[in-house]
Amino acid sequence: MRLYLDSADRDALGPLLETGLFGGVTTNPLILHRAGIRQHEGPALVDWLVDQGCGHVFVQTTADDAAGTVQEGLELRGLSDRVVVKIPATVAGLTAARRLADDGVPVLVTAIYHARQALLANAAGARWIAPYLGRMGAARRNGREQVLTMQTLLRGTATRVLVAGIKDVQQVVDLAALDVDAFTLGTDLAEQLLQESLTEDAVAEFSCATAKPAPGSIPAVSTARGQGAATS
């Protein structure tokens, strides 16, 4: 199981990355914009994420044509060997993905909405695809069914499914039970994944029991001079 964080907010990411439970961070231009990070500030964010121990840092290209996407992808990969280049599943994007993959650059094909795009991404040599689960549902597509079909189609290949656009943690549990093993979550959902009220109640009971003397125990009696102890 691999869990990733879908955010560029350092304040929100820091405590979650400290847990060591998340393999890295996924970003895109919209996520960077929401975090107030301009395009030229991206390299500094990558450096920070690498310093935080991220195994993978997914950074998306913005060029519209294949040649420009290839050039941008090479520049992004030059920032760190932990960078995975994200490319949208357009014709130009898939063309660029194939060229970058041939050059040994790890690529994630993103904005996947149909299982046929998983086949195209695999043909392009992508190491990852990112289906948008929530948006498929909003478009009246059965996102769960599509993701499971993608997982079946790609089983035994070098391309992995990294589910994005998750709206609630139960979706993670349900898909994980069906052998989908990689998810990227917003920091709010990641925090929900870590919380369980019954566990917190049990820990509170443990702490309370630790603070109380055991039944039948005899309180310690001081034998120090001046505290009522016998003297010779």
Side-chain angles (χ1 to χ4, degrees), residues 194-208:
L194 289 167
Q195 296 169 359
E196 172 49 64
S197 60
L198 293 178
T199 300
E200 293 168 1
D201 290 346
V203 170
E205 292 176 6
F206 299 152
S207 298
C208 184

Side-chain angles (χ1 to χ4, degrees), residues 16-106:
L16 291 167
L17 290 172
E18 284 181 5
T19 67
L21 301 176
F22 300 93
V25 169
T26 58
T27 68
N28 62 37
L30 183 57
I31 288 172
L32 295 177
H33 175 74
R34 288 173 176 168
I37 297 174
R38 298 176 181 176
Q39 200 67 28
H40 71 275
E41 297 172 320
L45 176 64
V46 171
D47 289 343
W48 183 82
L49 291 171
V50 169
D51 288 343
Q52 299 303 303
C54 290
H56 294 104
V57 179
F58 297 82
V59 186
Q60 190 165 317
T61 58
T62 58
D64 294 326
D65 62 301
T69 301
V70 169
Q71 181 59 38
E72 191 176 352
L74 292 172
E75 292 172 359
L76 290 173
R77 179 62 175 177
L79 297 175
S80 170
D81 60 5
R82 300 186 191 180
V83 167
V84 178
V85 178
K86 289 181 67 176
I87 303 176
T90 62
V91 174
L94 291 166
T95 301
R98 180 70 268 174
R99 294 175 185 172
L100 287 167
D102 288 342
D103 286 339
V105 176

